[in-house]
Amino acid sequence: VQLQASGGGLVQAGGSLRLSCAASARFFSTLAMAWFRQAPGKEEEFVAGISRSGNTTADSVKGRFTISRDSAKTTVYLQMNSLKPEDTAVYYCAARQSAVASTGSKSYRYRGQGTQVTVSS
């Protein structure tokens, strides 16, 4: 499984961005996928996950970020609204063969390259 993340950029606080993670996977529907982020000097943080069992979102972004998937395009999206400077980080997408999206990054076998999101105040 190869993952290609895109959509990062520079945005002002209060703005929006949509990240995309395109997966080259034959059995996309069987994958649990997630977004993680890492800010400079901080540990990696779970952001949101999606699987056949449902969606899960970190408390820090709940109500502002939404994860979704398009099976026809084998792509997962992260819609980020009401962005804050503390959302600034490199965002990664990850995938694993599971019916559940774990919040632990080490449980994901596949990982894409990061995309930088910078939110200015």
Side-chain angles (χ1 to χ4, degrees):
V1 177
Q2 292 184 327
L3 304 174
Q4 181 72 38
S6 61
L10 173 64
V11 64
Q12 288 188 331
S16 298
L17 282 175
R18 188 178 78 157
L19 304 183
S20 300
C21 178
S24 62
R26 187 174 179 182
F27 301 108
F28 178 78
S29 62
T30 67
L31 296 175
M33 299 189 69
W35 288 95
F36 294 86
R37 66 185 182 185
Q38 188 163 24
K42 294 188 177 181
E43 292 188 356
E44 192 171 65
E45 175 188 19
F46 170 82
V47 177
I50 188 167
S51 70
R52 287 173 288 170
S53 300
N55 299 357
T56 183
T57 308
D59 288 342
S60 59
V61 304
K62 197 162 290 184
R64 300 188 298 121
F65 291 12
T66 302
I67 189 169
S68 62
R69 67 196 294 166
D70 184 332
S71 295
K73 296 182 179 179
T74 62
T75 299
V76 170
Y77 302 98
L78 184 67
Q79 179 65 45
M80 306 186 295
N81 299 327
S82 302
L83 282 161
K84 304 175 181 180
E86 51 263 44
D87 295 319
T88 295
V90 177
Y91 284 70
Y92 302 88
C93 61
R96 68 178 199 163
Q97 292 284 357
S98 176
V100 178
S102 167
T103 60
S105 63
K106 289 182 170 56
S107 69
Y108 288 82
R109 180 175 180 181
Y110 308 102
R111 187 181 179 95
Q113 92 292 357
T115 184
Q116 177 70 47
V117 171
T118 303
V119 184
S120 63
S121 56

